[in-house]
Amino acid sequence: MQLARHHIDGKWTDSIGGRDRHGVSNNPATSEPAARYADGGVEDAQAAIAAARRAFEQTAWRRSPRLRADVLWDYAVRLDARKEEIADWLVTLNGKLRREAIGEIMAGVSELKYYAGLARNLFGRLIEVEPGCHASLRREAAGVAGIILPWNAPITLLVRSLAPALAAGCSTVIKPAFQTALAHNLALECLTVDERLPAGIVNSVIESGSAVSETLCASPEVDVVSFTGSTAVGKKIAAAAAGTLKRLSLELGGKAPALVFADGASDATIKGITAGSLILAGQQCTAISRVLVQDSVYDDFTRRLAASFRSVRVGPGNDPGSQMGSLIDIASRDRVAGLVARAGDAGDVLVRGEAPDGALAKGAFLAPSLVAIDDLESEYVQRELFGPLLVVERFKDEEDAIRRANATRYSLASSVWTADAMRGERVAARLRFGTVWANTHNRLFAEAETGGHADSGYGRLHGVEGLNDFLETKHYYFETGV
């Protein structure tokens, strides 16, 4: 089996200090071993942080915007060239559909090209505050950036933080998810082969536990931590980072509602909500997890949505006929299946998804489920379930829809489905979510910022604001005389 290794100070390595510990990543579609990875610890993290600090302080990287732009652009070209190989491993290690894997890689290519352009446009300001007295506001790299990644979209989420960090002039230490470590390494190789990249600017340490992440959060040598993952872990990271008062960018959980008004209850909406809720088998923080339907069309719409859910073909990601892949592992499948099994105590189970038998029985497959819930306090409404389980709710009018949609502490994404453009604008203005889509869902791209607040975290990713977490502003004052 192929081995995913750490990348520290310009070299690929199994360990620092004589450690020789390895783990195995499974194929979730078969539950069989698929790849191996070097399982790091505190010494590896410390070595990577030290290398990143030396590179930031002692190389010209942070003062070379044209070089950074060229390196990012060429990284995009190489990633594009290897997309088929990397997509194969994404399907194998993550269980997602191949079209989802290709889409993820191409989103990363787009992101790299976008930040390659911004790297040459980090402008400050110059003002004359009074005659002969000048204030210069300069934008400078923040320092060493720690990037902690999940397994659900390992290439997109790597690039989404790494590209702005490098564009800003930071050095980096990445902690990828062990489940998808080999796909991560293949994507990272597209960058590390560039001889213009100084050793230590990009480091990566794999681990199955939390010691590396904890070291990144606690180290005074790490200036920024960018984390994508669960709310529970995000709160632990915030607590661990408090001792050094480092800057945090946290994109955490989501509970995205889709508000379907009577004039938007079309077949196209059924198709859009099915796709928007079952992307990555529901294992995406922006995926639709609640669908709120206007009372006058509720019965007919839920009947058609249930039929759509029942028709979804679950299967291996490399099968062109599959419409939804597997969950990440058997434990996740069983967790969601347990939620489905007891959903009848909380509401009405409209579609009961079950684990398939036969050839798929050994994998982490689970057919999608649809549950009608009325109680806003139900765990099915309030918790991020992270799987192919969609909650459907009923509302009376705009006011009721907005009240219900805003009734959780999650705030990452939402969508409004209506033929009335003014209603869409009106409702979007009152929804407390970082993103509101109209008559579509999960449209994410490099140019537009995303993020949330409260239990969905803070900071913004993508766009011009995506650079902010990796930049500092320096005020330089000087007098020229009158």
Side-chain angles (χ1 to χ4, degrees), residues 306 309-310 312 314 324 333-334 336-341 343 349-356 365-371 388-390:
F309 264 47
R310 292 190 188 97
V312 171
V314 176
M324 189 182 85
R333 181 202 68 184
D334 292 347
V336 178
L339 289 166
V340 175
V349 181
L350 305 178
V351 179
R352 186 181 299 276
E354 297 181 345
F365 295 99
L366 185 67
S369 298
L370 185 66
V371 181
L389 197 171
L390 180 63

Side-chain angles (χ1 to χ4, degrees), residues 6 35 84 90-91 93 96 104 139 143 158 164 197 216 227 261 300 320 416 430 462 465 476:
H6 312 308
E84 298 296 337
L90 276 177
V91 171
L93 296 172
K96 65 179 59 180
E104 174 180 343
R139 299 290 274 163
L158 164 67
L197 183 74
L216 289 173
F227 168 73
F261 288 88
D300 177 66
V416 180
R430 296 181 60 193
H462 306 298
E465 289 185 41
Y476 172 62

Side-chain angles (χ1 to χ4, degrees), residues 11 81 124 131 135 169 268 306 329 355 365 379 424:
K11 300 181 180 65
D329 53 33
F365 295 99
E379 66 170 324

Side-chain angles (χ1 to χ4, degrees), residues 381-401:
V381 174
Q382 294 298 326
R383 281 180 51 201
E384 183 181 35
L385 306 180
F386 219 62
L389 197 171
L390 180 63
V391 171
V392 61
E393 305 169 47
R394 186 191 300 259
F395 70 84
K396 297 176 183 177
D397 51 25
E398 280 187 29
E399 200 67 31
D400 191 34

